[in-house]
Amino acid sequence: MNPTASPTTSALLNGEWELLYSSGVGLPALLAKAVASLPSFAQDSVDLDNIDLTIKRSQPRVKAMASARIGRVDFSLEVDYRIEAESGMRLRESYDGGEVSALNLSVRLPNVRSRRQVFITYLDDDLLISRDALGGFDLLRRRDKEFMSQTALAVPSNEEGDDSPGA
């Protein structure tokens, strides 16, 4: 049972999150599929490090960040998503662009129309569990609780008021 009554509009949603596990179709799954599509000898040379999400007050609300090393080359990937509450448990997530950086070069990712529904099935001070409409889920752990001492839970945590996640 979810301890947070309306997780999509709770201030607990905002903050910095570390991805622990993913079986969905979001950024983590796309990165894993990209690595899996490489020849087997190349897969062993890919080191995918931290995948973090930051959820904030203003749109785009979500920034997903990952770092990887292929051979001796370090890469970073940032992807922005807009999220909007459709109900107390359901969000609409829309891709809003991204960037890949390596060797002091940055390439903006194409802006494709990609949307999905995400359901917040569990949210507390430490954990966030979400699933998509296809049943895939993401398990995230909060990185930093300092935001909780800076933001009163009764104050909207977004710029749009109570209609958006994190309010």
PDB file of all heavy atoms in Angstrom, residues 104-119:
ATOM      1  N   ASN A 104      34.735  16.440 -25.095  1.00  0.00           N
ATOM      2  CA  ASN A 104      34.496  17.884 -25.153  1.00  0.00           C
ATOM      3  C   ASN A 104      33.552  18.306 -26.275  1.00  0.00           C
ATOM      4  O   ASN A 104      33.575  19.449 -26.711  1.00  0.00           O
ATOM      5  CB  ASN A 104      35.813  18.646 -25.268  1.00  0.00           C
ATOM      6  CG  ASN A 104      36.663  18.488 -24.028  1.00  0.00           C
ATOM      7  OD1 ASN A 104      36.146  18.447 -22.922  1.00  0.00           O
ATOM      8  ND2 ASN A 104      37.965  18.381 -24.215  1.00  0.00           N
ATOM      9  N   LEU A 105      32.750  17.381 -26.769  1.00  0.00           N
ATOM     10  CA  LEU A 105      31.738  17.684 -27.775  1.00  0.00           C
ATOM     11  C   LEU A 105      30.369  17.344 -27.218  1.00  0.00           C
ATOM     12  O   LEU A 105      30.211  16.362 -26.492  1.00  0.00           O
ATOM     13  CB  LEU A 105      31.976  16.865 -29.048  1.00  0.00           C
ATOM     14  CG  LEU A 105      33.283  17.095 -29.777  1.00  0.00           C
ATOM     15  CD1 LEU A 105      33.449  16.057 -30.878  1.00  0.00           C
ATOM     16  CD2 LEU A 105      33.319  18.497 -30.361  1.00  0.00           C
ATOM     17  N   SER A 106      29.385  18.148 -27.567  1.00  0.00           N
ATOM     18  CA  SER A 106      28.010  17.877 -27.149  1.00  0.00           C
ATOM     19  C   SER A 106      27.122  17.833 -28.375  1.00  0.00           C
ATOM     20  O   SER A 106      27.255  18.664 -29.272  1.00  0.00           O
ATOM     21  CB  SER A 106      27.502  18.969 -26.209  1.00  0.00           C
ATOM     22  OG  SER A 106      28.220  18.926 -24.997  1.00  0.00           O
ATOM     23  N   VAL A 107      26.241  16.861 -28.381  1.00  0.00           N
ATOM     24  CA  VAL A 107      25.299  16.716 -29.478  1.00  0.00           C
ATOM     25  C   VAL A 107      23.897  16.703 -28.886  1.00  0.00           C
ATOM     26  O   VAL A 107      23.597  15.924 -27.986  1.00  0.00           O
ATOM     27  CB  VAL A 107      25.554  15.402 -30.261  1.00  0.00           C
ATOM     28  CG1 VAL A 107      24.505  15.211 -31.342  1.00  0.00           C
ATOM     29  CG2 VAL A 107      26.951  15.397 -30.842  1.00  0.00           C
ATOM     30  N   ARG A 108      23.079  17.600 -29.399  1.00  0.00           N
ATOM     31  CA  ARG A 108      21.683  17.669 -28.950  1.00  0.00           C
ATOM     32  C   ARG A 108      20.924  16.499 -29.573  1.00  0.00           C
ATOM     33  O   ARG A 108      21.041  16.240 -30.772  1.00  0.00           O
ATOM     34  CB  ARG A 108      21.075  19.003 -29.385  1.00  0.00           C
ATOM     35  CG  ARG A 108      19.760  19.318 -28.797  1.00  0.00           C
ATOM     36  CD  ARG A 108      19.934  19.940 -27.425  1.00  0.00           C
ATOM     37  NE  ARG A 108      18.607  20.117 -26.845  1.00  0.00           N
ATOM     38  CZ  ARG A 108      18.298  19.806 -25.608  1.00  0.00           C
ATOM     39  NH1 ARG A 108      19.211  19.342 -24.804  1.00  0.00           N
ATOM     40  NH2 ARG A 108      17.092  19.977 -25.158  1.00  0.00           N
ATOM     41  N   LEU A 109      20.160  15.777 -28.767  1.00  0.00           N
ATOM     42  CA  LEU A 109      19.374  14.663 -29.275  1.00  0.00           C
ATOM     43  C   LEU A 109      18.147  15.188 -30.013  1.00  0.00           C
ATOM     44  O   LEU A 109      17.608  16.235 -29.666  1.00  0.00           O
ATOM     45  CB  LEU A 109      18.932  13.756 -28.111  1.00  0.00           C
ATOM     46  CG  LEU A 109      20.066  13.069 -27.361  1.00  0.00           C
ATOM     47  CD1 LEU A 109      19.526  12.338 -26.134  1.00  0.00           C
ATOM     48  CD2 LEU A 109      20.809  12.111 -28.268  1.00  0.00           C
ATOM     49  N   PRO A 110      17.690  14.465 -31.022  1.00  0.00           N
ATOM     50  CA  PRO A 110      16.514  14.930 -31.759  1.00  0.00           C
ATOM     51  C   PRO A 110      15.298  15.005 -30.855  1.00  0.00           C
ATOM     52  O   PRO A 110      15.145  14.210 -29.930  1.00  0.00           O
ATOM     53  CB  PRO A 110      16.314  13.873 -32.849  1.00  0.00           C
ATOM     54  CG  PRO A 110      17.244  12.771 -32.550  1.00  0.00           C
ATOM     55  CD  PRO A 110      18.201  13.202 -31.509  1.00  0.00           C
ATOM     56  N   ASN A 111      14.451  15.965 -31.136  1.00  0.00           N
ATOM     57  CA  ASN A 111      13.228  16.143 -30.350  1.00  0.00           C
ATOM     58  C   ASN A 111      12.119  15.310 -30.988  1.00  0.00           C
ATOM     59  O   ASN A 111      11.483  15.735 -31.935  1.00  0.00           O
ATOM     60  CB  ASN A 111      12.850  17.614 -30.292  1.00  0.00           C
ATOM     61  CG  ASN A 111      11.860  17.896 -29.180  1.00  0.00           C
ATOM     62  OD1 ASN A 111      11.407  16.977 -28.491  1.00  0.00           O
ATOM     63  ND2 ASN A 111      11.533  19.145 -29.013  1.00  0.00           N
ATOM     64  N   VAL A 112      11.947  14.117 -30.481  1.00  0.00           N
ATOM     65  CA  VAL A 112      10.914  13.219 -30.998  1.00  0.00           C
ATOM     66  C   VAL A 112       9.704  13.264 -30.069  1.00  0.00           C
ATOM     67  O   VAL A 112       9.833  13.556 -28.885  1.00  0.00           O
ATOM     68  CB  VAL A 112      11.427  11.760 -31.122  1.00  0.00           C
ATOM     69  CG1 VAL A 112      12.545  11.679 -32.132  1.00  0.00           C
ATOM     70  CG2 VAL A 112      11.881  11.234 -29.781  1.00  0.00           C
ATOM     71  N   ARG A 113       8.553  12.984 -30.624  1.00  0.00           N
ATOM     72  CA  ARG A 113       7.342  12.964 -29.809  1.00  0.00           C
ATOM     73  C   ARG A 113       7.240  11.598 -29.136  1.00  0.00           C
ATOM     74  O   ARG A 113       6.991  10.599 -29.790  1.00  0.00           O
ATOM     75  CB  ARG A 113       6.117  13.241 -30.662  1.00  0.00           C
ATOM     76  CG  ARG A 113       6.094  14.663 -31.194  1.00  0.00           C
ATOM     77  CD  ARG A 113       4.926  14.934 -32.109  1.00  0.00           C
ATOM     78  NE  ARG A 113       3.648  15.192 -31.522  1.00  0.00           N
ATOM     79  CZ  ARG A 113       3.289  16.306 -30.908  1.00  0.00           C
ATOM     80  NH1 ARG A 113       4.171  17.252 -30.735  1.00  0.00           N
ATOM     81  NH2 ARG A 113       2.076  16.468 -30.449  1.00  0.00           N
ATOM     82  N   SER A 114       7.443  11.601 -27.858  1.00  0.00           N
ATOM     83  CA  SER A 114       7.368  10.370 -27.095  1.00  0.00           C
ATOM     84  C   SER A 114       6.640  10.659 -25.792  1.00  0.00           C
ATOM     85  O   SER A 114       7.014  11.574 -25.060  1.00  0.00           O
ATOM     86  CB  SER A 114       8.782   9.848 -26.805  1.00  0.00           C
ATOM     87  OG  SER A 114       8.716   8.753 -25.943  1.00  0.00           O
ATOM     88  N   ARG A 115       5.592   9.905 -25.552  1.00  0.00           N
ATOM     89  CA  ARG A 115       4.803  10.065 -24.328  1.00  0.00           C
ATOM     90  C   ARG A 115       4.505   8.709 -23.744  1.00  0.00           C
ATOM     91  O   ARG A 115       4.407   7.721 -24.462  1.00  0.00           O
ATOM     92  CB  ARG A 115       3.465  10.744 -24.617  1.00  0.00           C
ATOM     93  CG  ARG A 115       3.557  12.190 -24.867  1.00  0.00           C
ATOM     94  CD  ARG A 115       2.175  12.771 -24.926  1.00  0.00           C
ATOM     95  NE  ARG A 115       2.293  14.199 -25.116  1.00  0.00           N
ATOM     96  CZ  ARG A 115       1.299  14.976 -25.414  1.00  0.00           C
ATOM     97  NH1 ARG A 115       0.096  14.481 -25.571  1.00  0.00           N
ATOM     98  NH2 ARG A 115       1.488  16.258 -25.567  1.00  0.00           N
ATOM     99  N   ARG A 116       4.341   8.687 -22.440  1.00  0.00           N
ATOM    100  CA  ARG A 116       3.890   7.469 -21.785  1.00  0.00           C
ATOM    101  C   ARG A 116       3.206   7.832 -20.484  1.00  0.00           C
ATOM    102  O   ARG A 116       3.421   8.918 -19.937  1.00  0.00           O
ATOM    103  CB  ARG A 116       5.037   6.484 -21.541  1.00  0.00           C
ATOM    104  CG  ARG A 116       6.034   6.925 -20.512  1.00  0.00           C
ATOM    105  CD  ARG A 116       7.107   5.874 -20.293  1.00  0.00           C
ATOM    106  NE  ARG A 116       7.989   6.292 -19.216  1.00  0.00           N
ATOM    107  CZ  ARG A 116       8.580   5.479 -18.384  1.00  0.00           C
ATOM    108  NH1 ARG A 116       8.413   4.176 -18.497  1.00  0.00           N
ATOM    109  NH2 ARG A 116       9.371   5.930 -17.431  1.00  0.00           N
ATOM    110  N   GLN A 117       2.384   6.922 -20.006  1.00  0.00           N
ATOM    111  CA  GLN A 117       1.763   7.078 -18.704  1.00  0.00           C
ATOM    112  C   GLN A 117       2.617   6.359 -17.684  1.00  0.00           C
ATOM    113  O   GLN A 117       3.098   5.253 -17.928  1.00  0.00           O
ATOM    114  CB  GLN A 117       0.355   6.501 -18.695  1.00  0.00           C
ATOM    115  CG  GLN A 117      -0.629   7.329 -19.468  1.00  0.00           C
ATOM    116  CD  GLN A 117      -2.031   6.758 -19.365  1.00  0.00           C
ATOM    117  OE1 GLN A 117      -2.212   5.555 -19.274  1.00  0.00           O
ATOM    118  NE2 GLN A 117      -3.006   7.630 -19.383  1.00  0.00           N
ATOM    119  N   VAL A 118       2.790   7.007 -16.546  1.00  0.00           N
ATOM    120  CA  VAL A 118       3.569   6.441 -15.456  1.00  0.00           C
ATOM    121  C   VAL A 118       2.699   6.490 -14.208  1.00  0.00           C
ATOM    122  O   VAL A 118       2.061   7.508 -13.918  1.00  0.00           O
ATOM    123  CB  VAL A 118       4.868   7.250 -15.226  1.00  0.00           C
ATOM    124  CG1 VAL A 118       5.639   6.718 -14.038  1.00  0.00           C
ATOM    125  CG2 VAL A 118       5.729   7.234 -16.478  1.00  0.00           C
ATOM    126  N   PHE A 119       2.674   5.390 -13.476  1.00  0.00           N
ATOM    127  CA  PHE A 119       1.888   5.290 -12.249  1.00  0.00           C
ATOM    128  C   PHE A 119       2.847   5.231 -11.069  1.00  0.00           C
ATOM    129  O   PHE A 119       3.770   4.415 -11.054  1.00  0.00           O
ATOM    130  CB  PHE A 119       1.018   4.031 -12.268  1.00  0.00           C
ATOM    131  CG  PHE A 119       0.065   4.000 -13.415  1.00  0.00           C
ATOM    132  CD1 PHE A 119       0.458   3.485 -14.641  1.00  0.00           C
ATOM    133  CD2 PHE A 119      -1.217   4.504 -13.287  1.00  0.00           C
ATOM    134  CE1 PHE A 119      -0.410   3.464 -15.723  1.00  0.00           C
ATOM    135  CE2 PHE A 119      -2.091   4.493 -14.362  1.00  0.00           C
ATOM    136  CZ  PHE A 119      -1.692   3.972 -15.581  1.00  0.00           C
TER     137      PHE A 119
END
